Amino acid sequence: MRSGVGTDAAFWCGDPTEVGREHHVEWTVDENVAWDANTRPATLSSPALGEDGGQVFFRGRLSLTGGGGALLEVADAQILFELADPPPSIAGDGTWVEVRVERNSVSLWPYLL
C-alpha cells in the first residue's frame, strides 16, 4: 500500500482484481494500544506509515475517546484502537505517538466515496 505518508504491506480485503489501483481504504488493526509496549511518544511531529521488519508502524496524533478507546490520526486517516493495560495517561491525549504492530494484524478494506 502506498500513501502520501509512506508505504506498507497489509492484508487486502477487497476484490483481488482491484489490487494496484487507487482506493480509499478503512484500516483495521487487530492489536490494542499498549503504552510503553507497542506505543511510545514519537520523536517527530509528522504523520508516517511504514514497515520495519515484520512490523507496521503508524505515527500520528493520539486522541483518547473514553471508554477504553483511542483514535490515531495519521494524515487524513483515522484508525480506531482499544486500549490495553497500561493505558496512556490523560496527558498523552492529543500528542504525537508511534504505534508498532505485527504486519499480519493490519487489514485494508476498500470503499467508494
Side-chain angles (χ1 to χ4, degrees):
M1 202 276 310
R2 283 185 270 270
S3 74
V5 295
T7 302
D8 163 41
F11 183 70
W12 179 255
C13 298
D15 186 340
T17 62
E18 305 245 336
V19 172
R21 297 177 53 201
E22 186 171 321
H23 295 280
H24 295 278
V25 296
E26 179 178 318
W27 292 87
T28 300
V29 181
D30 294 328
E31 287 191 40
N32 298 338
V33 165
W35 198 251
D36 285 335
N38 70 351
T39 306
R40 292 189 167 79
T43 57
L44 298 172
S45 298
S46 61
L49 162 70
E51 295 179 67
D52 186 11
Q55 293 187 318
V56 173
F57 68 86
F58 303 93
R59 187 171 58 231
R61 196 176 293 264
L62 185 70
S63 297
L64 303 177
T65 62
L71 179 72
L72 184 67
E73 186 176 339
V74 181
D76 293 334
Q78 296 180 338
I79 306 169
L80 291 171
F81 286 92
E82 291 185 26
L83 297 175
D85 287 327
S89 75
I90 195 71
D93 190 31
T95 63
W96 287 90
V97 299
E98 187 170 287
V99 179
R100 292 179 171 266
V101 297
E102 295 302 314
R103 181 182 307 159
N104 62 1
S105 72
V106 179
S107 302
L108 296 173
W109 297 83
Y111 65 89
L112 298 173
L113 290 179

